[in-house]
Amino acid sequence: MKLSNYQLLALLQLVSPSLPVGAYSYSEGLESLVEQEIITDAGGLDHWLRRELRYGAIQLEGGVMVRSHSCLLTQDWQGLNHWNQWLSATRETRELRQQSWQMGDSLLKLWTKVQPEGRAMIEQITPPCHYAIAFTLAATLGQIPPESFILGYLHSWATNMINGGVKLIPLGQTQGQQLLFNLSPLLDKITAQLLSSSEDDLETCSWGATLASMYHETQYTRLFRS
Amino acid sequence: MRSPWQGKLHLIYHFQGGATQIKYQHNQAPLKVQRPFYPEGPQICHTVALHTAGGIVGGDQLTQRVELQPDSQVLITTAAAQKIYGSQGETAKNRLDLELGRGAYLEWLPQESIVFEGAEYRQELRVNLDPEATFCTWEITRFGRTARGERFLRGNWRSHTEIWQGGKPLWIDRQWLPGSLETVESPHALAGCPIVASFLWLGTPIDPEHLAALRDLWSPSPHSWVGLTQTQNQGLYCRYRGRSTQEVKGGFMRLWHYLRGLSGGSGNSMPSRPLIPRVWGNR
């Protein structure tokens, strides 16, 4: 589907790294993986991001975004709050739960000012609100179709993780941009899968990611909040 | 290969006159339970469940339902490690429903599973937890018969856990392991380790200072990983990825002993040093 210019602009605003929700302060365990020398170069980061996209928590978020978008379109507020609670229950560590809540609540607060006409919809959510749900809500207000805003969400997640990798490993800016560019086919493929996934498909295979986040919670020296 | 089983187990416990007793019991082969016993006194009932067919094969369907009426306290374990054999294609299913009433306390502590290469297995554990009940569980899984050099390069293992409280999901962990060389070796998944394990405690809240003490109880051997974190409602979740069943059982038992000491506030008082079930042998 071709986006109108207004839809495209709304999406660009939401996926911009300058959206003030604090994404830059989170690494989702990457900081501890670098400290433990589990990820030491661009190849290691690339492998990690690909595994996370196919088997990690972002799969659950994407699946919930598809479902909460339907809830928003049908004004099923109970369903929307169910999926928000569902995400809280599936967040496997405290830090990852806090991250998603902080970013989600920040985005909702921001969006009541950016699009005041969305206030009634925003008030239907019982806080704390996960970022994936807040993002879906803002995208729905911008009338962006799910195949575009989920793709954008995955892209902004990958951008943030790569920015973290550039700082932590460290990598050159060029290497970071190469990594991001080369992820495009996978981002496209995962988006398509998420749109047709059943509730049974919401599962993960990511012991390493959970352990990395658990280690980060007690990491002595840290730049990032997750 | 034998034909598939439709095993059933249904237990209802109640608390009466200072003792937890089995009020109702129904089972269908290959599942059964040994006669309950009380090594720690009458308030906590120890029960050993058995799978008499030697292992689970593709197509098997096990259905287990355990209800704890208010204030009952139960420890359930299994008589031996559970083998899950390679499948010709059919999935083996194991469905467990646990219902915990007000003030109830359940330790669901099965021995480890050994998942043979090529197994197709799906476990679903669903718990309804009263806001004043406490639930403690662990799950220890070995992928492949490591002693023979077998790795889990084919097959699918799923273990979906859902804990609900007052109609809301409190903890959902839907794990899946698709057998492949990449999954076995990737640092994002098994990182070359044959064993993964989880420990979960929900109910009596754990204060941050206890969390710090629990973290200090166990430091893993080199090439094993252990992490602890807090769930919603101040529960505890611990994850292990490593190479030794003995190491993970020992570590989980230390967490379990410590948490027993905290649980006096919920329901009836119970011994703070649990007795290790004899079926586990000397560990």
Side-chain angles (χ1 to χ4, degrees):
Chain A
M1 188 194 285
K2 194 177 178 302
L3 296 182
S4 72
N5 285 348
Y6 281 111
Q7 289 170 318
L8 180 60
L9 288 168
L11 183 59
L12 288 173
Q13 187 169 355
L14 278 174
V15 302
S16 165
S18 69
L19 188 77
V21 293
Y24 65 89
S25 61
Y26 298 105
S27 85
E28 300 185 12
L30 193 58
E31 188 165 30
S32 73
L33 291 164
V34 172
E35 195 196 63
Q36 293 175 78
E37 296 179 4
I38 292 168
I39 293 180
T40 55
D41 56 18
L45 179 59
D46 183 58
H47 171 79
W48 190 268
L49 297 179
R50 286 174 190 273
R51 287 288 308 188
E52 194 62 17
L53 283 163
R54 281 153 60 206
Y55 300 109
I58 191 122
Q59 276 278 333
L60 303 181
E61 290 188 337
V64 165
M65 289 171 86
V66 174
R67 283 153 186 82
S68 42
H69 179 249
S70 307
C71 292
L72 285 162
L73 292 183
T74 56
Q75 305 197 339
D76 174 7
W77 310 125
Q78 206 184 337
L80 185 68
N81 280 301
H82 164 75
W83 286 113
N84 193 34
Q85 285 161 357
W86 196 90
L87 275 183
S88 300
T90 56
R91 284 281 112 133
E92 62 273 47
T93 71
R94 185 175 178 275
E95 259 186 17
L96 293 173
R97 203 161 48 241
Q98 298 287 346
Q99 169 187 341
S100 181
W101 280 342
Q102 180 273 307
M103 288 172 63
D105 286 345
S106 299
L107 180 58
L108 286 190
K109 207 171 148 194
L110 177 69
W111 228 249
T112 50
K113 308 254 166 59
V114 173
Q115 278 197 285
E117 67 273 25
R119 189 184 287 264
M121 205 184 246
I122 289 168
E123 282 170 356
Q124 296 294 334
I125 297 180
T126 312
C129 179
H130 285 279
Y131 189 57
I133 303 256
F135 188 98
T136 303
L137 193 146
T140 307
L141 285 169
Q143 298 181 354
I144 307 164
E147 62 269 28
S148 300
F149 75 72
I150 290 172
L151 186 68
Y153 184 84
L154 299 181
H155 180 267
S156 71
W157 171 82
T159 304
N160 192 55
M161 292 295 283
I162 289 169
N163 284 345
V166 165
K167 275 183 221 155
L168 290 164
I169 298 174
L171 300 176
Q173 294 289 355
T174 306
Q175 277 179 300
Q177 290 302 310
Q178 285 167 333
L179 272 183
L180 184 60
F181 189 80
N182 291 330
L183 279 180
S184 298
L186 184 61
L187 298 178
D188 186 37
K189 188 177 153 191
I190 297 289
T191 302
Q193 280 173 3
L194 286 169
L195 288 166
S196 61
S197 69
S198 74
E199 209 172 312
D200 242 15
D201 297 328
L202 302 178
E203 51 190 1
T204 56
C205 176
S206 55
W207 281 276
T210 311
L211 285 163
S213 173
M214 286 169 162
Y215 276 62
H216 191 266
E217 290 186 353
T218 55
Q219 192 167 328
Y220 190 66
T221 315
R222 28 192 261 164
L223 297 170
F224 290 84
R225 296 170 71 188
S226 77
Chain B
M1 235 357 156
R2 64 167 171 81
S3 54
W5 289 98
Q6 304 256 333
K8 285 194 174 71
L9 180 64
H10 186 180
L11 297 170
I12 303 176
Y13 293 88
H14 70 160
F15 185 75
Q16 225 168 32
T20 299
Q21 288 170 334
I22 296 182
K23 184 181 169 186
Y24 172 85
Q25 175 182 343
H26 171 79
N27 64 281
Q28 183 177 307
L31 293 175
K32 62 186 239 181
V33 290
Q34 292 177 355
R35 203 157 67 84
F37 55 110
Y38 296 87
E40 302 184 70
Q43 72 272 36
I44 179 159
C45 178
H46 284 224
T47 307
V48 177
L50 294 126
H51 186 285
T52 55
I56 294 177
V57 306
D60 278 5
Q61 293 209 14
L62 305 177
T63 313
Q64 305 182 59
R65 181 170 174 82
V66 177
E67 297 166 48
L68 269 70
Q69 293 186 349
D71 297 324
S72 47
Q73 301 183 353
V74 179
L75 183 159
I76 299 179
T77 185
T78 53
Q82 181 69 66
K83 288 175 189 156
I84 302 166
Y85 297 121
S87 164
Q88 305 300 319
E90 277 201 274
T91 300
K93 291 182 181 162
N94 188 8
R95 167 87 198 196
L96 305 112
D97 281 281
L98 311 178
E99 192 85 38
L100 274 72
R102 184 179 41 79
Y105 178 80
L106 176 61
E107 292 170 346
W108 181 268
L109 308 175
Q111 299 204 53
E112 72 272 22
S113 302
I114 300 160
V115 187
F116 289 31
E117 190 184 17
E120 295 287 337
Y121 179 70
R122 183 185 183 96
Q123 176 176 302
E124 284 179 33
L125 168 64
R126 176 145 176 154
V127 185
N128 267 325
L129 192 64
D130 182 274
E132 287 175 52
T134 294
F135 178 56
C136 175
T137 192
W138 68 45
E139 180 177 38
I140 301 166
T141 310
R142 177 186 289 275
F143 291 100
R145 286 168 290 173
T146 322
R148 300 178 171 211
E150 183 182 87
R151 297 194 290 172
F152 197 68
L153 303 179
R154 289 176 300 114
N156 283 284
W157 170 90
R158 289 180 162 88
S159 177
H160 291 189
T161 297
E162 301 206 354
I163 317 246
W164 289 66
Q165 196 173 55
K168 288 182 188 169
L170 180 58
W171 175 257
I172 296 178
D173 188 18
R174 293 174 155 203
Q175 297 186 2
W176 168 40
L177 190 93
S180 75
L181 188 60
E182 192 193 288
T183 303
V184 165
E185 290 186 345
S186 170
H188 185 266
L190 293 186
C193 297
I195 298 168
V196 295
S198 309
F199 181 103
L200 180 68
W201 171 278
L202 283 171
T204 309
I206 297 162
D207 293 335
E209 72 257 33
H210 288 302
L211 191 69
L214 285 157
R215 280 195 168 114
D216 288 340
L217 282 179
W218 181 15
S219 44
S221 59
H223 310 296
S224 289
W225 285 264
V226 177
L228 261 81
T229 190
Q230 201 145 43
T231 67
Q232 296 191 95
N233 291 12
Q234 288 182 276
L236 174 79
Y237 182 59
C238 173
R239 205 173 248 209
Y240 171 86
R241 182 178 67 185
R243 291 155 204 280
S244 162
T245 314
Q246 224 167 322
E247 178 183 34
V248 63
K249 276 191 173 171
F252 281 177
M253 277 197 263
R254 263 174 270 162
L255 301 180
W256 172 45
H257 285 196
Y258 187 98
L259 292 163
R260 264 280 188 108
L262 300 181
S263 57
S266 86
N268 317 295
S269 62
M270 68 173 67
S272 61
R273 298 292 298 177
L275 273 173
I276 293 164
R278 269 199 324 236
V279 287
W280 294 354
N282 291 323
R283 294 189 192 270

